[in-house]
Amino acid sequence: MAARRRVLTLVFVREGGKVLLGMKKTGIGEGRWNGFGGSVERGESIEQGAKRELVEECGVFAQSLRKVGCIDFEFEGDPIILEVHVFTSYKFTGLPFESEEMRPKWFPVDAIPYNDMWPDDKFWFPYVLAEKKFKAYFLFEGLNTILTHEIEEVQSFDN
C-alpha cells in the first residue's frame, strides 16, 4: 500500500541580507523558528496555499514566489508522508505582524537561529539561503531525532 501524502507549504520572505522567520506559538513546532506555511486547501494550487498561509500567519502578501525546494518528511509509525514545497519571496507587500500562531522576526542570513529551529533545518536551509533548488527526504523518530536523510541539488522540479 502506497503511503498517503499531505501537501504543505513553507515560505521564506527575503529582504536584502535578511530572512523573515516566525516563532511558532502553538501546536507542532511550538517554540521553534520556522518559515510561514501550512496545508494546501481543496481547490487551491500549491502556490495559492503558500500565499494564503503567509498572509494568515504574518500579514505579508507575496507578489511572487520562487520554488526552491521539496522535502518529504516521514515519521516512524505514521502512514502519512508530509510533502513540503519550499518557496522564497523577494517581492511582497505589507509589514509583518504577530498572529495567534506566529511571531515574525527578521534575521541576518549570517545569524540564523539553527539551535531554535527543527533539527533538519541545518541540512536544507543553507540551500534556501543560497537560492539553490533541492529535493530532500527526512525520516524522523518522534519530533527531534533524524534517523536518516537525503538531500540533493536539482535543476528543476519537473519529475
Side-chain angles (χ1 to χ4, degrees):
M1 183 172 102
R4 294 197 331 255
R5 299 178 87 71
R6 181 171 167 211
V7 178
L8 302 159
T9 64
L10 203 50
V11 179
F12 295 95
V13 176
R14 306 278 308 266
E15 187 172 60
K18 300 178 296 187
V19 62
L20 186 65
L21 299 176
M23 172 56 72
K24 187 86 164 36
K25 294 164 52 177
T26 62
I28 293 178
E30 183 177 350
R32 291 180 168 163
W33 292 104
N34 203 352
F36 302 89
S39 296
V40 175
E41 294 179 355
R42 186 179 308 271
E44 279 184 324
S45 70
I46 293 170
E47 195 168 294
Q48 287 168 333
K51 287 180 176 181
R52 177 187 47 76
E53 287 282 351
L54 181 63
V55 168
E56 288 176 2
E57 292 184 350
C58 73
V60 171
F61 175 76
Q63 294 171 300
S64 65
L65 294 174
R66 178 175 183 266
K67 186 170 179 179
V68 293
C70 190
I71 310 169
D72 283 344
F73 291 101
E74 189 173 359
F75 295 86
E76 265 195 345
D78 189 335
I80 298 173
I81 291 177
L82 304 182
E83 177 185 311
V84 180
H85 296 261
V86 184
F87 298 91
T88 57
S89 179
Y90 288 87
K91 288 183 157 191
F92 60 92
T93 57
L95 293 173
F97 65 78
E98 186 168 342
S99 66
E100 285 185 23
E101 193 174 348
M102 301 285 264
R103 178 172 46 87
K105 181 179 176 183
W106 290 100
F107 286 89
V109 295
D110 60 357
I112 301 300
Y114 287 110
N115 290 338
D116 296 319
M117 296 171 77
W118 285 94
D120 54 281
D121 289 6
K122 66 181 176 233
F123 295 102
W124 60 263
F125 197 58
Y127 285 80
V128 173
L129 295 175
E131 289 288 332
K132 293 181 178 177
K133 293 179 180 169
F134 68 96
K135 288 185 179 179
Y137 167 81
F138 289 86
L139 174 62
F140 272 82
E141 177 182 64
L143 299 177
N144 297 309
T145 304
I146 298 169
L147 297 178
T148 186
H149 77 280
E150 300 169 13
I151 189 164
E152 66 173 327
E153 187 174 346
V154 297
Q155 297 306 307
S156 71
F157 299 101
D158 296 336
N159 52 11

